[in-house]
Amino acid sequence: MKFLAITLIVHAPDPVTGVRKPTQQRLHEVLDNALLAEELGFDGFGVGERHERPFISSSPPVVLSHIAALTTRIRLFTAVTTLSLLDPVRAYEDYATLDHLTGGRLDLIIGKGNGTAQRELFHVTPEDQWERNAESYELFRRLWREDKVTASPRFRPALTEAEVWPRPLQRPIRVWHGSATSRESADLAARYGDPLFSANVTNPIEPYAELIRYYRERWVHHGHDPARIVVGAGTAGYYAARRSQDAINAYRPVFEGRLAFQKQLGVEPVFPTLEDFVERSSALIGSPQQVIEKVHRYHERFGHTVLHLHADADGLTDAQHRASLTLFQSDIAPVLRRDIPDPPFPWAPVLAGPTPRTAPEPAAPHAGTQGGLRP
């Protein structure tokens, strides 16, 4: 099994302290967490894309480019690239460039995206959002594979023998399809023989398990080898400690802060208590053994071989955040790697990571950065 740390770069008040960090500090925190993920042995680090409050993840190619320059091994993911909102030609240019800068460490997770404000920002309607996503992906896919493209898409100007540069390093790049609760993404992934990444965050397991079952059904319908199916899945939260009660006690202020924020927004919580959240959501909170057992329960329903954890402290202290992720890699990940197979495709970068001409000096702490996370 492979493990990712993912951030949507939420820029909201801390659920425990109520303090919202300055924008620059929050962005540098993402860099710190990417370095921590590589230091601890995570297999991938993902940056989301949203174009509305409370997120500041509107430019994942820029953020991932910076992370690529600081890291050498870890794979870099988008989570997700909202192709329904983007010009696929421009998206191709950004990510083909980033593919070279990462040394072939780039994976894309695409999706139509959520949120009314960002849809309105790009003048995309609910009626055409799925069609835009499918059309943009088809054109993006061709641009990545073909040196010259002729196409007459509905949602952007036609292309005639178009050459788009640079040509990518990975031929082709691996593209996952992010899926929440709608069948369209699952069907698009199955049609092209691409892996599926289930959000698996907001609800109990049932709707996600049903969608993955549908994806597997459509995969076979489209004539692909069932042995090549790959599923990834998210988690609603993570905190582990040697003793389960210590983990619960440490996470309770985080949960209660989030609950209060939901009530302030008038949102009815899916999981009204921490105990319910731990029991029925995908959150991994407890002792290492409890976390391992819960991942296995989900694996029995999903058959997933990639799992993501939240990269951000998000209410935990920096010390708690680092200790919990360290415990994951020392006590939890080795067992899951042994018990659950890896996805059946290469994970190593196409090329070794870019090597600077001279070794850089150790970075000075950023003004207001997360203390202690940068190695």
Side-chain angles (χ1 to χ4, degrees), residues 196-213:
L196 185 77
F197 213 110
S198 173
N200 190 37
V201 169
T202 307
N203 298 298
I205 193 171
E206 285 74 19
Y208 305 113
E210 169 57 25
L211 208 62
I212 291 169
R213 184 205 61 76

Side-chain angles (χ1 to χ4, degrees), residues 24-346:
Q24 184 185 35
Q25 182 180 348
R26 181 68 185 97
L27 289 171
H28 280 297
E29 189 173 65
V30 173
L31 306 181
D32 289 332
N33 285 330
L35 286 168
L36 178 63
E38 178 163 84
E39 175 196 344
L40 294 180
F42 279 84
D43 302 293
F45 188 88
V47 174
E49 179 180 336
R50 295 292 290 266
H51 299 270
E52 60 185 348
R53 291 188 296 174
F55 307 94
I56 51 173
S57 52
S58 58
S59 187
V62 175
V63 178
L64 289 170
S65 181
H66 198 146
I67 293 171
L70 297 174
T71 58
T72 59
R73 178 197 58 79
I74 198 166
R75 288 199 73 84
L76 302 177
F77 285 71
T78 63
V80 300
T81 296
T82 52
L83 278 182
S84 68
L85 307 179
L86 305 177
D87 178 347
V89 176
R90 191 70 186 95
Y92 164 81
E93 292 173 330
D94 283 342
Y95 287 113
T97 302
L98 182 57
D99 188 32
H100 284 278
L101 293 174
T102 65
R105 290 187 283 143
L106 181 64
D107 276 42
L108 299 181
I109 307 175
I110 69 161
K112 77 169 181 65
N114 294 313
T116 301
Q118 65 176 5
R119 187 178 64 239
E120 292 175 348
L121 183 66
F122 288 90
H123 295 273
V124 174
T125 69
E127 292 75 25
D128 67 24
Q129 198 165 7
W130 283 114
E131 293 179 38
R132 285 177 178 272
N133 185 63
E135 178 186 281
S136 292
Y137 178 54
E138 181 180 357
L139 185 52
F140 181 95
R141 183 183 175 89
R142 290 188 60 196
L143 290 167
W144 203 280
R145 288 164 170 76
E146 302 173 25
D147 292 335
K148 294 183 179 181
V149 173
T150 296
S152 299
R154 176 184 171 194
F155 296 107
R156 64 146 286 129
L159 300 174
T160 303
E161 290 292 290
E163 297 180 81
V164 189
W165 299 94
R167 302 311 301 151
L169 179 59
Q170 296 183 84
R171 297 291 189 100
I173 194 171
R174 187 160 52 242
V175 177
W176 306 65
H177 295 251
S179 171
T181 55
S182 298
R183 289 188 166 195
E184 285 86 348
S185 288
D187 193 59
L188 190 65
R191 184 192 319 168
Y192 286 106
D194 293 332
L196 185 77
F197 213 110
S198 173
N200 190 37
V201 169
T202 307
N203 298 298
I205 193 171
E206 285 74 19
Y208 305 113
E210 169 57 25
L211 208 62
I212 291 169
R213 184 205 61 76
Y214 174 75
Y215 165 68
R216 293 177 181 277
E217 176 185 292
R218 298 302 293 170
W219 178 282
V220 173
H221 170 81
H222 288 293
H224 304 301
D225 180 358
R228 304 297 296 177
I229 289 175
V230 177
V231 174
T235 55
Y238 164 72
Y239 187 75
R242 294 288 179 190
R243 299 192 314 163
S244 60
Q245 194 57 50
D246 291 340
I248 295 292
N249 291 342
Y251 201 82
R252 189 174 298 279
V254 177
F255 177 82
E256 290 179 349
R258 290 179 185 168
L259 197 65
F261 186 65
Q262 288 179 325
K263 291 179 178 178
Q264 182 182 341
L265 296 176
V267 176
E268 185 68 26
V270 177
F271 308 103
T273 67
L274 176 58
E275 288 70 23
D276 187 42
F277 182 64
V278 171
E279 175 63 27
R280 293 197 304 122
S281 83
S282 62
L284 304 175
I285 300 167
S287 68
Q289 186 58 39
Q290 288 173 320
V291 169
I292 291 167
E293 290 172 358
K294 190 166 190 178
V295 172
H296 272 291
R297 291 201 303 273
Y298 270 75
H299 177 71
E300 289 173 3
R301 299 288 300 275
F302 292 172
H304 60 309
T305 54
V306 178
L307 178 75
H308 92 53
L309 303 180
H310 293 280
D312 301 310
D314 192 25
L316 300 169
T317 68
D318 294 339
Q320 287 173 325
H321 182 48
R322 174 183 274 273
S324 183
L325 292 180
T326 300
L327 186 60
F328 183 88
Q329 288 295 349
S330 66
D331 287 39
I332 298 169
V335 177
L336 295 175
R337 291 186 197 278
R338 181 196 68 203
D339 294 348
I340 299 174
D342 286 343
F345 44 61

